Amino acid sequence: MTTTVPTAGPTPTPTPATASVSGAGSATVTAGPVAAAVPGGGPGGFDRLLEAVVGERAAAVRNVPATLTCFTDHFPRHPVLPGVLLLESMAALARTAAGPGTWRLAAVRGVRFKHFVGPGDQVHLTVEVTAHGPHRTECRATARAGGRVVATARVLALVSDETTREGTA
């Protein structure tokens, strides 16, 4: 199978991607240095998916370009990536680890921002699934930049969009 992946250059580069089944009902997707990019990754997603084992774990990279508009106001003399954008990158990766379907973030607990992330940094995101079911998945996430942990989330709780929301029929 060949996947076309957007790269930093002007033209997409075809790269091989492998998918195999490992364990009971879990799919493994592994890619090389240029992996499947998140469609519409934008400011809150991630740039490259490095590994995804549905129901177990996922790893990705997010580049922080100096051209992000948030750096003009946050903060002009010392630009810092807003924590909510880093948290959204973790949530996007958690949705990837949760597997197929539409997942939405329902709760976040134990978030810690330990160091600033600025323009030019490359953030390595990892997510470990701690509980997985058809309608609810919980993950633990870590973000590293420059060899040190910059943020952690003890619990990212995702619920399937098929789940009835409280107060609705």
Side-chain angles (χ1 to χ4, degrees), residues 74-86:
H74 199 269
F75 296 96
R77 292 190 183 136
H78 181 69
V80 175
L81 183 70
V84 70
L85 294 181
L86 194 55

Side-chain angles (χ1 to χ4, degrees), residues 140-164:
R140 179 180 314 131
T142 304
R144 290 180 173 81
R148 63 184 179 179
V149 174
V150 294
T152 59
R154 188 171 29 95
V155 176
L156 295 173
L158 305 170
V159 293
S160 171
D161 256 358
E162 289 109 35
T163 305
T164 304

Side-chain angles (χ1 to χ4, degrees), residues 91-121:
L93 188 58
R95 285 190 288 274
T96 301
T102 305
W103 297 91
R104 62 183 170 82
L105 189 61
V108 178
R109 290 189 294 275
V111 177
R112 294 181 184 236
F113 298 102
K114 300 178 178 208
H115 297 282
F116 293 120
V117 175
D121 284 344

